[in-house]
Amino acid sequence: SSRRTHLSLHVVVPPSDPLLKVGGQKATNGVLGPLQEGAALELTCSVRGGVPPPELVWVRQGEILDSTVESRSSTLTVNHLNILRLTRDYHNTRLTCIASNNNVTEPTLASVTVTMNRSASLFSYVVP
């Protein structure tokens, strides 16, 4: 008698490391700034490949800032992070884009650190 065995194979391909850009300039694993308080900041996170298609999440100090993928093609997944008004709280904070598409391999990620311009008004009360 012959035994028939059914195997289902799920192919998982991890996505590439995320690439971060600010205004078209590559910003992965770098330092941004010093940026002006009250200024807007737009960061783009893009990832190539991945089967199944990856999810991209922007995180700041463990808190999810943006988990919406704006565009997805067969080769590229993109998530834009828009910060309308930068506050002093962003000084020396790390913004991280995490790409994951399965629960087998480790997620891939890329970070950028924001530095803020220390406002001159902080020092205007110092008496010489």
Side-chain angles (χ1 to χ4, degrees), residues 14-82:
S16 72
D17 288 341
L19 176 67
L20 307 187
K21 286 188 175 175
V22 181
Q25 298 294 311
K26 193 176 160 192
T28 302
N29 296 331
V31 174
L32 278 187
L35 303 174
Q36 223 37 57
E37 197 176 342
L41 176 63
E42 185 188 336
L43 284 161
T44 302
C45 177
S46 56
V47 169
R48 295 198 170 278
V51 178
E55 292 303 314
L56 295 185
V57 178
W58 277 104
V59 175
R60 173 191 168 204
Q61 293 165 330
E63 164 198 4
I64 293 177
L65 293 178
D66 184 352
S67 57
T68 307
V69 166
E70 275 88 7
S71 66
R72 196 192 284 286
S73 70
S74 57
T75 54
L76 200 66
T77 303
V78 180
N79 181 347
H80 298 287
L81 174 65
N82 286 303

Side-chain angles (χ1 to χ4, degrees), residues 117-128:
N117 214 340
R118 308 310 273 170
S119 170
S121 62
L122 289 175
F123 308 106
S124 58
Y125 303 108
V126 177
V127 178

